[in-house]
Amino acid sequence: MGAISLQQVNKAFGETVVIPSIDLEVTDGEFVVFVGPSGCGKSTLLRLIAGLEDVSGGTIKIDGSDATLTPPSKRGLSMVFQSYALYPHMSVRRNIAFPLKMAGLDKDEAMRRVDAAAASLNLTDYLDRRPGQLSGGQRQRVAIGRAIVREPTAFLFDEPLSNLDAALRVNMRLEISELHQQLKTTMIYVTHDQVEAMTLADKIVVLNAGRIEQVGSPLELYREPANLFVAGFIGSPRMNFVSAAAAESHGAHTVGIRPEHLDLSTTAGEWQGKVGVAEHLGSDTFLHVHLDGGGTITARADGEFPVSHGSAIWLTPQADKFHRFDADGNRLP
Amino acid sequence: MARAVSTRRKATFTVAAWAIALAIFFPILWTFLTSFKTEGDAIASPPMFVFFDWNLSAYEAVNQRTNYLKHFWNSVVISFGSTILGLVIAVPAAWAMAFVPAKQTKNVLMWMLSTKMLPPVGVVIPIFLIFRNTGLLDTRTGLVIVLMLINLPIIVWMLFTYFREIPGEILEAARMDGADLRSELLYVLTPMAMPGIASTLLLNVILAWNEAFWTLNLTAAKAAPLTAFIASFSSPEGLFFAKLSAASTMAIAPILVLGWFSQKQLVRGLTFGAVK
Amino acid sequence: MATLHSRAAARLMITPAVVLLLGWMLIPLGMTVYFSFLRFNLLAPGTESWTGLTNYYFFLTDPSFWDAIRNTLTLVIGVLLITVTGGVLLALLLDQPIWGQGVARVLVIAPFFVMPTVSALIWKNMFMNPVNGLFAFLAKSVGLQPFDFLGQAPMASIILIVSWQWLPFATLILLTALQSLDTEQLEASEMDGAGPLNRFIYIVAPHLARATTVVILILTIFLLSIFAEILVTTNGGPGTATTNLTYLVYTQSLLQFDVGGGSAGGVVAIILANIVAIFLMRMIGKNLDA
């Protein structure tokens, strides 16, 4: 079982309030991602759940029992840190076995579990090495190995992929996803990267300035962002926002349209503009279009779209893909 | 950054640097050489540098006529004893300051350092009287206590700077892995900080070995370490150059070797991290 | 970054060190201050009586006190001049590309590890002795009269000995500071057209300024308390020519057993040391924030 429930959890460092008040339910087996810009309080929230920080108020329940005052070592959670936090003076084997040693597990049983974890993470050949002799991806696996051997109630991940290069990051993302399918254990994952959030999560929690902006499945957030912040944060490239006359014609203060929901034409359309920078990615082309009426809009075209800097272009938003927001930035129905 | 330097320029600097270095080192070299002379050769005029009758008679004389070994052993006990005791007290304190910093941490640390600035003459009289009344005068225990206290700020400070380089996440990882405080210190912090702890030990042993205010004022015959033993040569006995040299060589050789290993730590420890 | 649990543990862990140092500081310090107001002589136990500021009056009006202050300052300033200037030059020299740099460095540092009593005696007897010393031989070999260093120029001789001991310290720290100078900074200034002299003035010297200040302050703390070198060479003499404040307090209290007067001298020494310490602590404190 790995249900975690936060009730009116808040946190202040001295005078600085980092998290005003948060209520959140994480059900057993769920993959929850906390996402938000740096300084939004997502890591602090994770550390509160871990017990590495005390809450200033509120209750944290793990599996229904109050764990607010339980020290981290007794919460039964595992954590994978951004820096991996491997013990540099221990071999990989002893790193992975460390939580089991702390739990006072019998040595043979511990070694059996370490071997099993190492096999599943392709680490068997590296068991006698020190962390310093491993590549970034291997260290990451050791950190995961150390987390899984003790069979925790839930896994906590604190931006685990941010120190890896781009290619490795995609691989590890898949591995973590597979790990979740296999273990079916609750996972809470913190990242500032919305792509990681979208690809991994069952449920995304978007945080901003210590507040929850929206909670929902990746597609809910993509389709129906609750406000301008979420709309701008989820999706890549960012959603385009248009205010003033164009928005008022749709009865909103601001309207948003995603780059992939604009139809392009070199001859005619609703909005006319000139191509600024065209980023050719091969599969797609992202066009930064300077509208004749002022403002810049990003549009996605297919990879072979035949335009270059300075070409005239017409954009037509798909009518049913508009997102409308009021003056406070909240979504209009 | 590697750059071609003209050979002549390099040669000039080399000669200058070596000339000065040898001049600075010369008194130590001279002492070393003299320790292998007979008393007659030691004061020969002109002085003899290499071509003299090399022998160990001065060393034998020092060992026979004085209680050299006892004083050497006193030095060992006092310097290692005070440093190890200091480490036992300082490791937990440095852990607390490095990994659980509070608002007061900086002030506490600065205050600890400030005790190091206290001139010994400001407190020597009470310490002398307290020691006299408690029977600690001229005991190794007494000196271990005093030297531990005067070096404790440096020990705490050095450990603190070493600990601060250990990422806190690793200790947090240990906590998440179920380690209690004792296990955290024993299995994670101490082994990781071992190089730093060893350097701290080394530098403070050197400082305690060479300490020459308290050791001279608080000991007489029984607990006198080498500093005080050598001071007894200030009487006419010092005019026996070979014996003075032999006793001096034995007193400084071990620490010279340790010292050369600890150059880097020396800077760190004695400038309290103000110069890296 | 911590929890109540760890904060409580931290307090517990730091307590022994704090209590010990607090005791070490407060108890003797308090006693010294208290004694300084007493008529208290170890030769006449049981006759201690309150005398107010009399000890300070006698101590401060004693000509040997002003001699001691002058000697202390002469010693500190003389040694500082030699070690800091020498240290900067030597550090710059050792930082140049030379053959056998590591070994040369080791030789230069060596005197720092020689215990004060040993270095003082070696200099006194084997070098400065007017009959058998090496300097006497050198003088005679060029036809000069041997010079009685410790008899004729006692303070200068002690300054020489102490400088020899502390020059390595100054050199080592300044060298470390030099080597921590970012070479890219130097290269950038070279690209900007600065010649060797300008590079020294605008890049190297400012970089060394901080380390030099640290050296001066730390050396001063140690030099104010020079004791063993005086004890084994001149015993403070001839007369009071080499009696510094530390040595004066030692004579008064531990040789003449005048605890009251010695304590008053101790208090004066503490005040002097504190003036230096305040500046030093500021520099260290700034570094802590960085």
Side-chain angles (χ1 to χ4, degrees), chain C:
Chain C
M1 296 296 127
T3 63
L4 283 177
H5 289 282
S6 51
R7 257 190 277 280
R11 261 194 297 276
L12 194 68
M13 305 283 255
I14 208 170
T15 304
V18 169
V19 168
L20 281 171
L21 282 174
L22 202 64
W24 168 246
M25 195 179 75
L26 288 185
I27 297 170
L29 207 59
M31 286 169 78
T32 302
V33 173
Y34 173 63
F35 291 162
S36 73
F37 294 114
L38 292 186
R39 224 175 74 100
F40 184 177
N41 194 304
L42 286 182
L43 292 179
T47 62
E48 296 86 31
S49 60
W50 186 262
T51 60
L53 293 171
T54 314
N55 285 323
Y56 288 95
Y57 177 76
F58 278 115
F59 195 81
L60 295 175
T61 54
D62 183 351
S64 59
F65 166 72
W66 295 104
D67 286 349
I69 292 284
R70 203 188 57 234
N71 290 332
T72 307
L73 291 179
T74 313
L75 182 60
V76 170
I77 292 168
V79 175
L80 279 180
L81 276 178
I82 296 175
T83 50
V84 173
T85 332
V88 170
L89 295 175
L90 206 49
L92 285 172
L93 184 59
L94 286 174
D95 194 38
Q96 301 299 321
I98 58 172
W99 285 292
Q101 193 182 37
V103 185
R105 192 173 129 140
V106 157
L107 294 183
V108 168
I109 293 163
F112 184 75
F113 301 113
V114 176
M115 53 179 65
T117 43
V118 166
S119 59
L121 281 177
I122 290 172
W123 279 96
K124 175 190 174 191
N125 292 322
M126 292 167 59
F127 287 87
M128 294 174 170
N129 183 298
V131 182
N132 291 323
L134 215 50
F135 289 158
F137 165 75
L138 285 175
K140 277 184 276 186
S141 63
V142 296
L144 292 173
Q145 272 298 310
F147 185 70
D148 182 2
F149 285 88
L150 286 159
Q152 302 298 317
M155 185 47 91
S157 307
I158 289 182
I159 289 175
L160 177 68
I161 297 174
V162 176
S163 297
W164 179 74
Q165 287 181 281
W166 287 97
L167 178 63
F169 173 77
T171 308
L172 185 62
I173 286 175
L174 292 166
L175 186 59
T176 311
L178 264 186
Q179 286 169 343
S180 74
L181 180 58
D182 183 12
T183 53
E184 283 191 0
Q185 230 183 75
L186 280 176
E187 285 170 335
S189 70
E190 216 176 331
M191 296 301 290
D192 291 340
L197 185 65
N198 279 327
R199 283 209 298 277
F200 180 79
I201 295 175
Y202 294 109
I203 311 283
V204 179
H207 182 75
L208 281 188
R210 187 190 157 71
T212 311
T213 317
V214 173
V215 167
I216 291 176
L217 293 169
I218 292 173
L219 267 179
T220 308
I221 294 283
F222 281 103
L223 295 177
L224 282 174
S225 301
I226 290 288
F227 171 76
E229 292 84 344
I230 298 173
L231 178 76
V232 299
T233 53
T234 62
N235 267 314
T240 56
T242 53
T243 300
N244 66 355
L245 199 51
T246 302
Y247 201 81
L248 180 66
V249 174
Y250 161 79
T251 342
Q252 194 133 28
S253 52
L254 296 183
L255 295 184
Q256 295 165 11
F257 304 108
D258 177 5
V259 170
S263 296
V267 172
V268 174
I270 290 168
I271 292 168
L272 278 184
N274 267 312
I275 295 170
V276 183
I278 287 168
F279 288 104
L280 181 56
M281 299 302 286
R282 278 224 188 115
M283 298 221 43
I284 296 169
K286 262 186 211 149
N287 199 62
L288 251 190
D289 297 327

Side-chain angles (χ1 to χ4, degrees), chain B residues 2-4 10 28 42 68 72 141 144 157 162 201 203 222 241 247 273:
Chain B
R3 269 208 221 178
K10 193 168 176 181
I28 297 171
Y68 176 81
F72 182 86
T141 317
V144 164
W157 181 273
Y162 285 114
L201 176 87
L203 178 65
K222 202 158 50 83
F241 288 1

Side-chain angles (χ1 to χ4, degrees), chain A residues 3-248:
Chain A
I4 294 171
S5 138
L6 309 183
Q7 288 154 8
Q8 286 157 21
V9 166
N10 59 75
K11 176 67 182 174
F13 291 107
E15 300 286 296
T16 325
V17 178
V18 182
I19 293 171
S21 180
I22 275 183
D23 291 277
L24 183 69
E25 295 294 331
V26 175
T27 52
D28 182 35
E30 209 169 20
F31 199 124
V32 178
V33 175
F34 295 169
V35 68
S38 59
C40 69
K42 56 190 190 298
S43 281
T44 305
L45 190 58
L46 191 75
R47 292 168 60 83
L48 290 175
I49 296 171
L52 294 171
E53 303 280 353
D54 283 329
V55 296
S56 305
T59 317
I60 296 174
K61 285 185 179 168
I62 299 175
D63 280 340
S65 60
D66 189 341
T68 316
L69 295 174
T70 313
S73 53
K74 303 272 185 299
R75 289 193 186 191
L77 306 174
S78 279
M79 184 151 167
V80 175
F81 290 82
Q82 183 171 8
S83 65
Y84 319 136
L86 301 180
Y87 310 120
H89 56 291
M90 298 182 193
S91 64
V92 169
R93 181 189 301 281
R94 287 183 52 216
N95 259 284
I96 300 178
F98 188 74
L100 302 176
K101 179 176 170 182
M102 289 300 108
L105 205 71
D106 151 85
K107 234 186 174 153
D108 294 334
E109 169 65 8
M111 280 308 126
R112 204 187 50 73
R113 284 213 221 169
V114 171
D115 287 333
S120 74
L121 290 162
N122 288 327
L123 286 170
T124 309
D125 295 341
Y126 305 101
L127 277 174
D128 294 318
R129 297 213 189 158
R130 292 280 172 97
Q133 299 165 297
L134 301 180
S135 69
Q138 289 164 340
R139 285 182 213 182
Q140 179 69 77
R141 283 202 189 84
V142 177
I144 292 173
R146 194 173 65 182
I148 59 176
V149 276
R150 57 185 293 203
E151 295 165 8
T153 323
F155 290 97
L156 310 178
F157 292 91
D158 188 6
E159 308 219 17
L161 304 185
S162 57
N163 285 340
L164 297 177
D165 63 48
L168 212 48
R169 207 177 301 167
V170 174
N171 275 339
M172 286 308 301
R173 210 166 71 199
L174 285 172
E175 285 189 32
I176 292 176
S177 219
E178 269 168 30
L179 192 70
H180 182 240
Q181 304 297 337
Q182 254 175 51
L183 299 173
K184 308 236 182 297
T185 309
T186 311
M187 291 188 176
I188 301 180
Y189 187 107
V190 163
T191 181
H192 61 271
D193 179 352
Q194 56 96 17
V195 177
E196 270 174 35
M198 296 292 283
T199 49
L200 285 169
D202 295 326
K203 182 156 100 187
I204 296 182
V205 178
V206 182
L207 288 158
N208 182 30
R211 283 169 223 280
I212 294 183
E213 297 283 352
Q214 190 174 4
V215 178
S217 74
L219 284 180
E220 276 165 23
L221 264 55
Y222 178 78
R223 285 192 194 120
E224 295 187 1
N227 52 41
L228 277 178
F229 180 82
V230 177
F233 198 81
I234 300 290
S236 174
R238 276 184 96 217
M239 185 187 282
N240 297 295
F241 295 111
V242 182
S243 2
E248 272 158 34

